[in-house]
């Protein structure tokens, strides 16, 4: 009995000694096959930061005197806190529909030149940007309409500021549209000239500014797209004699600023030029056109105009 009890005692002690090892083995992580990854390593990669774009301009960038002015202002950052949406918000909407991630900002003031923004507002935008769009006063120089001297100078000052913050910044100049009031009324600087003349002159001035400032990567042919829309019958060229049936009026009631259709075309050209995406890819059912009161047919026609103008410039290079 004595010896039997001793044997059972020894077996019990041995069991106790083995138990911790078994427990440890059960709690250890299971081995993984060669090349397998742990759950931690399967976590999605951090999302890339959005591409930043800044629009600097005046009422033509704001979408003034149209439903586009405050449309979707909450999707963009107005550096002045004025709550404008305008062309920048349309650009943002196009990007979202095409799966592009852009953080869009604007700094605008009605009736002002680029010189004003540089002298009075540069503290708001003096930081790195990926893309910058510069829109000058509609007649270039208020005192000397059509004179590009100040424009060329101020583009140079702007370019130097942005290149200092980001040497790779993509700077574009928005060459805007002919003002009907400057063409069809005696007070206008372009009075008596073809409706396309003012836009052509603004494009030529932008070319001068670009040539003088190598940091400028390109020109947005907004005014030339307007010319194309009128030449192809999409838009009526003279709002003073009534708007022809089936044609769009690209101007608003003052024959100076753009209508929703005019700003929509401006945004399409801007979007296509900067992203390289064919604007017709947005399709006739594009959401912002419908929200702003353009029909599917009108949206499609304006998208085609933007595409064709951008293609013409690409071929001309």
């Amino acid at each position: 009995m004595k010896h039997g009890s001793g044997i059972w005692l020894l077996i019990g002690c041995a069991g106790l000694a083995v138990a911790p090892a078994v427990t440890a083995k059960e709690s250890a992580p299971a081995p993984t096959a060669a090349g397998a990854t742990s759950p931690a390593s399967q976590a999605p990669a951090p999302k890339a930061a959005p591409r930043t774009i800044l629009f600097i301009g005046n009422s033509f960038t704001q979408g003034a005197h149209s439903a586009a002015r405050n449309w979707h202002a909450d999707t963009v950052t107005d550096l002045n806190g004025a709550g404008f949406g305008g062309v920048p918000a349309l650009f943002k909407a196009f990007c979202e529909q095409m799966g592009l991630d852009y953080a869009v900002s604007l700094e605008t003031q009605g009736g002002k030149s680029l010189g004003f923004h540089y002298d009075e507002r540069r503290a708001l935008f003096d930081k790195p940007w990926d893309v910058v769009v510069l829109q000058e006063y509609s007649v270039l120089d208020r005192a000397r309409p059509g004179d590009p001297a100040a424009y060329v100078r101020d583009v140079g000052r702007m370019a130097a500021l942005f290149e200092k913050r980001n040497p790779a910044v993509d700077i574009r100049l928005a060459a805007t549209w002919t003002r009907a009031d400057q063409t069809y009324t005696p007070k206008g600087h372009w009075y008596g000239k073809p409706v396309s003349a003012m836009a052509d002159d603004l494009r030529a001035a932008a070319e001068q500014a670009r040539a003088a400032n190598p940091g400028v990567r390109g020109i947005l042919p907004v005014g030339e797209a307007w010319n194309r829309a009128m030449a192809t019958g999409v838009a009526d060229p003279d709002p003073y004699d009534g708007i022809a049936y089936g044609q769009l009026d690209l101007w608003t009631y003052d024959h100076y600023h753009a209508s929703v259709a005019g700003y929509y075309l401006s945004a399409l050209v801007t979007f296509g030029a900067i992203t390289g995406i064919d604007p017709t890819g947005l399709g006739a059912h594009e959401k912002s056109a419908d929200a702003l009161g353009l029909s599917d047919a009108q949206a499609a026609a304006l998208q085609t105009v933007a595409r064709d103008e951008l293609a013409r410039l690409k071929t001309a290079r």
Side-chain angles (χ1 to χ4, degrees):
M1 285 295 295
K2 235 172 159 184
H3 291 291
S5 298
I7 290 171
W8 289 112
L9 180 62
L10 289 172
I11 292 172
C13 290
L16 290 172
V18 172
V22 173
T23 303
K25 183 176 180 181
E26 289 176 348
S27 63
T32 57
T37 58
S38 67
S41 65
Q42 293 176 349
K47 184 179 179 181
R51 190 164 171 76
T52 60
I53 181 169
L54 170 67
F55 288 80
I56 295 180
N58 51 46
S59 56
F60 281 17
T61 295
Q62 293 170 356
H65 305 298
S66 83
R69 185 184 65 176
N70 304 108
W71 183 80
H72 280 205
D74 59 336
T75 66
V76 297
T77 301
D78 186 334
L79 300 184
N80 293 309
F84 293 121
V87 171
L90 284 166
F91 175 88
K92 175 72 173 180
F94 298 160
C95 288
E96 289 180 341
Q97 291 172 75
M98 299 302 284
L100 303 179
D101 192 8
Y102 274 80
V104 181
S105 299
L106 63 147
E107 194 285 295
T108 63
Q109 182 65 49
K112 298 298 184 180
S113 67
L114 290 176
F116 166 85
H117 294 284
Y118 184 88
D119 293 335
E120 305 292 333
R121 300 278 180 82
R122 69 177 180 271
L124 293 174
F125 52 74
D126 185 9
K127 58 183 179 180
W129 301 93
D130 294 317
V131 185
V132 175
V133 175
L134 301 176
Q135 182 253 308
E136 182 56 288
Y137 183 64
S138 61
V139 298
L140 301 179
D141 189 311
R142 189 187 295 272
R144 295 179 296 277
D147 186 343
Y151 180 34
V152 173
R153 178 200 67 208
D154 293 332
V155 167
R157 294 197 291 166
M158 286 284 196
L161 181 149
F162 291 119
E163 288 179 305
K164 183 177 180 180
R165 291 295 190 176
N166 175 17
V169 63
D170 180 353
I171 300 173
R172 306 293 180 104
L173 305 181
T176 55
W177 53 86
T178 291
R179 282 173 46 179
D181 68 319
Q182 285 285 324
T183 300
Y184 294 110
T185 64
K187 68 177 182 179
H189 181 73
W190 286 268
Y191 177 62
K193 295 183 178 181
V195 69
S196 59
M198 180 176 176
D200 289 341
D201 286 351
L202 296 177
R203 170 59 190 249
E207 290 288 0
Q208 288 186 50
R210 182 186 185 188
N213 299 288
V216 175
R217 190 169 298 183
I219 297 170
L220 307 179
V222 174
E224 289 165 293
W226 276 46
N227 288 351
R228 176 179 289 275
M230 291 183 279
T232 58
V234 172
D236 191 299
D238 185 355
Y240 287 95
D241 65 0
I243 305 302
Y245 176 77
Q247 294 186 334
L248 288 163
D249 186 353
L250 296 178
W251 294 279
T252 191
Y253 57 83
D254 62 3
H255 308 319
Y256 171 165
H257 293 85
S259 64
V260 163
Y263 289 122
Y264 187 75
L265 181 53
S266 176
L268 287 169
V269 170
T270 302
F271 170 77
I274 289 173
T275 67
I277 294 176
D278 179 349
T280 63
L282 291 162
H285 302 298
E286 193 278 315
K287 296 177 182 178
S288 56
D290 179 66
L292 291 169
L294 295 173
S295 71
D296 290 354
Q298 290 170 334
L302 291 168
Q303 290 169 17
T304 299
V305 168
R307 178 200 65 192
D308 291 349
E309 186 57 33
L310 291 170
R312 181 189 70 81
L313 293 177
K314 187 175 182 181
T315 302
R317 289 193 187 118

